[in-house]
Amino acid sequence: GAVVSQHPSRVICKSGTSVKIECRSLDFQATTMFWYRQFPKQSLMLMATSNEGSKATYEQGVEKDKFLINHASLTLSTLTVTSAHPEDSSFYICSASSGTGITAFFGQGTRLTVV
Amino acid sequence: AQSVTQPDIHITVSEGASLELRCNYSYGATPYLFWYVQSPGQGLQLLLKYFSGDTLVQGIKGFEAEFKRSQSSFNLRKPSVHWSDAAEYFCAVSISTGNQFYFGTGTSLTVIP
């Protein structure tokens, strides 16, 4: 299957700083990318959907000014957690779709810890 | 709004025993259905998916799932569980456009010797 790479896999940052997570589709063009958040021992919740070259669409309750999503190319989307707070500590997973089918491929996730 | 229910939060089975993980969905039409497995600290691995056609689908690692429209269910089964199957299992649905997924709350599987 297609490969989606997320980087970094694990990051620790200080409160108040920003951290960027990258999601890359390695062998296909991802017209749409999705960002999910997973709290410990809970399910994955969709945060936002991004289409290449367009502004991301955020789910209700997700602060768009805090979670900045950029999808500037067909192979890269980034999630920037701004002014990070300990409550932002979570597991973030992206998925990417070429749009030609209905199967999206998931990255391996990023464990964010804000101290 | 669509929703996915996994009634069992945690299941413990003996190695070699059979397994069934339940999944029910709520959606106006038949969605696309998926089962994913997640090992601790890892991403998601697709086990199998149902789009249309034969309601019994085969997946990787010896898993299968059966779609039952009348029950709005998509239960995952494995005839003989291996210790390496211990993980978190998520049922998910996707609507026909957008490819966004809605996940169930997950079932944690423990396998005992």
Side-chain angles (χ1 to χ4, degrees):
Chain A
V3 178
V4 176
S5 176
Q6 241 180 283
H7 178 80
S9 58
R10 189 179 294 269
V11 59
I12 301 173
C13 69
K14 292 184 177 181
S15 290
T17 63
S18 296
V19 60
K20 180 183 288 187
I21 303 170
E22 294 186 346
C23 179
R24 293 182 183 271
S25 57
L26 299 185
D27 52 2
F28 68 101
Q29 293 186 325
T31 53
T32 306
M33 286 189 174
F34 305 87
W35 288 95
Y36 297 83
R37 180 175 182 177
Q38 184 182 31
F39 291 101
K41 299 189 182 300
Q42 295 189 29
S43 189
L44 292 85
M45 301 299 295
L46 180 66
M47 298 175 66
T49 303
S50 72
N51 292 296
E52 185 265 338
S54 303
K55 288 185 177 180
T57 301
Y58 290 81
E59 295 296 298
Q60 190 173 9
V62 178
E63 300 175 61
K64 62 180 181 181
D65 294 329
K66 180 168 188 60
F67 298 99
L68 301 180
I69 292 173
N70 182 280
H71 191 170
S73 78
L74 286 171
T75 58
L76 174 65
S77 176
T78 60
L79 167 67
T80 301
V81 183
T82 63
S83 192
H85 198 267
E87 285 79 54
D88 299 325
S89 299
S90 192
F91 194 61
Y92 295 87
I93 303 179
C94 71
S95 72
S97 169
S98 64
T100 57
I102 54 173
T103 299
F105 300 94
F106 286 85
Q108 67 269 46
T110 297
R111 170 76 59 195
L112 170 63
T113 303
V114 184
V115 298
Chain B
Q2 46 277 347
S3 67
V4 182
T5 302
Q6 290 180 248
D8 304 306
I9 297 174
H10 185 251
I11 285 182
T12 299
V13 298
S14 298
E15 190 169 16
S18 63
L19 171 70
E20 182 170 30
L21 303 182
R22 296 182 290 167
C23 173
N24 293 93
Y25 67 90
S26 174
Y27 187 57
T30 301
Y32 303 104
L33 299 158
F34 305 79
W35 273 99
Y36 285 88
V37 60
Q38 183 182 35
S39 297
Q42 302 297 311
L44 300 176
Q45 182 180 23
L46 177 66
L47 287 176
L48 45 78
K49 58 191 177 187
Y50 173 78
F51 294 163
S52 64
D54 192 346
T55 56
L56 183 64
V57 293
Q58 302 297 321
I60 62 171
K61 303 185 178 184
F63 286 93
E64 66 177 27
E66 184 172 14
F67 167 60
K68 293 185 177 181
R69 185 189 305 274
S70 61
Q71 299 176 18
S72 297
S73 69
F74 189 56
N75 295 347
L76 181 72
R77 300 193 294 251
K78 186 169 184 177
S80 178
V81 171
H82 189 264
W83 64 266
S84 60
D85 293 325
E88 189 83 16
Y89 291 80
F90 292 98
C91 180
V93 304
S94 178
I95 56 179
S96 59
T97 59
N99 287 342
Q100 61 194 80
F101 287 77
Y102 298 91
F103 288 87
T105 49
T107 298
S108 176
L109 175 65
T110 297
V111 180
I112 57 177

